[in-house]
Amino acid sequence: MSILAPTTSIADAFSQLLGGDLPFRFTAYDGSSAGPADAEFGLDLLNERGLSYVVTAPGDLGLARAYVSGDLDILGSHPGDPYTALMHIKGNSEGLKFRAPSPAEAVALLRTIGLSHLKPPPIPAQEHAPRWRRLMEGFLHSPERDAEVIHHHYDVSNRFYEMVLGPSMTYTCACFPTAAASLEEAQFHKYDLVCRKLDLQPGQRLLDVGCGWGGMVRHAVKYYGVSAIGVTLSAEQASWAQQRIKEDGLDDRAEVRHLDYRHVVEGDFDAVSSIGLTEHIGVANYPAYFGFLRDKLKPHGRILNHSITRQHNRKQSTGAFIDRYVFPDGELTGSGRIITEMQDAGLEVQHEENLRMHYAMTLAGWNRNLVENWDACVAEVGEATAKVWGLYIAGSRMGFETNEIQLHQVLATKTPADGSTTFPLRPTWLG
């Protein structure tokens, strides 16, 4: 490949460093462009600040900073749902990979962009501190640290979540009974599936850790006659859930507390549900986590763990954009690792299933809600935060559809040392 000339334009430098023909249109504020003129989708770099973001943080983080700040546009898509554009770019970029410039190319590139662009602009307000700085400020996954990162993500605005998640206020993977089912029907079906897997019976006691806005708690109490305690580190979630429980007339048997699950003092629960919490725990803390939940169960009690996983069993961080903008300190691993840790904690795994494509469908529903309520969402949280959510939801949908991430439910029992069991010969929830 030829060395970048001193007069190289921004678009020429961009395309050359990617090492191939662009499958999308790239335009820059200096008037330069690259890629097919009739491309359906494209990237438009609007100003010098955007260039500085991209240059000083190569990869998805720099692009995200420029996009969130309004310095980079994704052409051909709505900011509430850039999924189609991102899938087109990803699906047609085989062979394209950013390569580091040679020393001579780097000199030529610096002449093109100017040394001033090597000074990073202030990071967007929506961005969390880098992981290394968070490590300096406290122990990873301490109660105080977990409370802060949960606040960062979940205490955005209950009204915003109502518009994006829909009436169920459920921020976890739904389970679609049919492809034609609505998002609300699928969320109802998910909660009902968990209740049936846990074999909940009237008069039993349920603990729901990481309970969000109390959807599982309310469903189990209303339709299965149990008493339930839910705990969440989000004050906004707990407040919303307690109000909804009162409105539904369930406050004699249902409670949601603003509390770390590690501080639950009650025990002897018939069942424990953990829906979307394991992603925040940290892989190194799995033994303590599953051991704690095991100890909250009666003998023969059931536990259902529902969590996002990798397609492999290696520990892997969530990536720069997700870690800095969405789930600080999040870690994912495979279902095999989760099953192993549950077994090593003394739980007998009875069943597991992968709901990967159900999560892709769930995310598509959230993107539609965000688009339909875009103006109101922007008015509620600001355009930058709304754009973070559109990008995050669409990117996550891509991850599930391309099998980079999965969603597994694992059902286990606290089987006594003598091996006695009350688990049926065949699963009852399969009908």
Side-chain angles (χ1 to χ4, degrees):
M1 179 171 292
S2 62
I3 293 176
L4 296 173
T7 57
T8 296
S9 69
I10 293 173
D12 286 340
F14 181 84
S15 59
Q16 288 186 47
L17 291 177
L18 280 177
D21 295 329
L22 298 180
F24 56 89
R25 186 70 167 171
F26 178 84
T27 53
Y29 63 89
D30 66 348
S32 62
S33 60
D38 60 349
E40 184 179 1
F41 303 106
L43 299 178
D44 186 13
L45 188 62
L46 300 173
N47 53 45
E48 292 188 354
R49 186 177 67 175
L51 178 61
S52 294
Y53 277 131
V54 173
V55 170
T56 57
D60 67 342
L61 184 59
L63 290 170
R65 286 173 174 171
Y67 177 69
V68 168
S69 300
D71 305 322
L72 176 72
D73 277 347
I74 301 175
L75 303 178
S77 70
H78 190 285
D81 187 7
Y83 163 81
T84 304
L86 295 177
M87 278 296 284
H88 172 84
I89 292 172
K90 179 182 177 69
N92 292 280
S93 297
E94 186 175 355
L96 289 180
K97 186 176 182 181
F98 179 81
R99 64 178 185 83
S102 68
E105 288 175 323
V107 171
L109 184 60
L110 287 175
R111 290 173 179 167
T112 298
I113 66 174
L115 289 172
S116 62
H117 294 107
L118 295 181
K119 180 180 179 181
I123 63 173
Q126 292 73 24
E127 185 172 320
H128 208 72
R131 182 173 287 242
W132 63 265
R133 182 175 297 171
R134 302 196 302 264
L135 284 170
M136 293 177 64
E137 294 173 351
F139 292 107
L140 196 66
H141 298 296
S142 67
E144 297 78 16
R145 171 80 164 271
D146 283 350
E148 201 283 324
V149 297
I150 291 297
H151 167 74
H152 171 84
H153 185 67
Y154 291 99
D155 291 344
V156 175
S157 158
N158 282 335
R159 177 58 188 146
F160 174 77
Y161 280 111
E162 287 173 349
M163 290 185 283
V164 175
L165 303 180
S168 74
M169 281 293 273
T170 301
Y171 187 29
T172 49
C173 174
C175 183
F176 289 77
T178 67
S182 69
L183 179 58
E184 287 304 302
E185 290 169 339
Q187 292 292 13
F188 183 97
H189 185 73
K190 182 272 296 295
Y191 285 133
D192 212 62
L193 176 64
V194 173
C195 289
R196 286 183 282 122
K197 285 184 175 181
L198 292 173
D199 193 31
L200 296 182
Q201 303 294 326
Q204 289 185 336
R205 298 172 63 244
L206 167 71
L207 172 64
D208 185 38
V209 293
C211 68
W213 290 271
M216 177 63 189
V217 168
R218 288 183 284 113
H219 189 100
V221 171
K222 184 175 182 179
Y223 295 101
Y224 286 82
V226 302
S227 297
I229 296 173
V231 293
T232 173
L233 281 175
S234 167
E236 291 290 327
Q237 288 181 336
S239 176
W240 190 98
Q242 278 298 110
Q243 180 61 33
R244 182 62 183 274
I245 285 170
K246 186 175 182 179
E247 292 172 358
D248 290 349
L250 305 174
D251 46 331
D252 60 328
R253 289 176 292 132
E255 179 185 2
V256 167
R257 301 173 183 171
H258 178 214
L259 186 71
D260 190 299
Y261 76 92
R262 288 165 285 198
H263 297 156
V264 174
V265 296
E266 292 90 344
D268 264 0
F269 289 96
D270 297 280
V272 172
S273 53
S274 174
I275 305 175
L277 177 60
T278 315
E279 299 90 331
H280 301 285
I281 294 299
V283 176
N285 297 315
Y286 283 1
Y289 170 64
F290 287 117
F292 180 88
L293 298 184
R294 175 206 62 216
D295 290 344
K296 292 298 173 183
L297 285 170
K298 291 179 177 179
H300 304 294
R302 298 190 186 191
I303 176 172
L304 187 287
N305 193 81
H306 167 122
S307 64
I308 300 171
T309 62
R310 291 288 182 189
Q311 79 278 37
H312 54 72
N313 289 297
R314 300 180 295 276
K315 184 178 78 170
Q316 186 172 331
S317 65
T318 53
F321 170 68
I322 297 294
D323 183 64
R324 302 283 282 274
Y325 281 87
V326 186
F327 292 120
D329 299 345
E331 290 178 351
L332 300 178
T333 187
S335 59
R337 178 67 181 272
I338 290 174
I339 289 173
T340 296
E341 297 288 0
M342 293 179 78
Q343 291 173 327
D344 287 350
L347 295 163
E348 182 180 6
V349 173
Q350 303 285 0
H351 185 270
E352 78 88 28
E353 65 175 311
N354 184 1
L355 299 178
R356 174 171 69 90
M357 290 309 297
H358 291 263
Y359 216 155
M361 295 168 68
T362 303
L363 289 155
W366 293 343
N367 265 142
R368 285 193 299 270
N369 288 343
L370 183 55
V371 170
E372 291 172 2
N373 296 288
W374 180 254
D375 290 343
C377 286
V378 169
E380 181 69 22
V381 300
E383 184 174 15
T385 296
K387 289 173 75 173
V388 167
W389 280 84
L391 187 62
Y392 149 62
I393 295 171
S396 297
R397 179 182 173 187
M398 289 170 57
F400 284 103
E401 289 193 351
T402 58
N403 197 29
E404 294 177 7
I405 44 179
Q406 301 174 350
L407 188 290
H408 283 262
Q409 286 190 351
V410 182
L411 176 67
T413 54
K414 183 178 180 178
T415 303
D418 63 5
S420 61
T421 182
T422 60
F423 203 83
L425 292 176
R426 298 297 301 154
T428 56
W429 63 87
L430 296 180

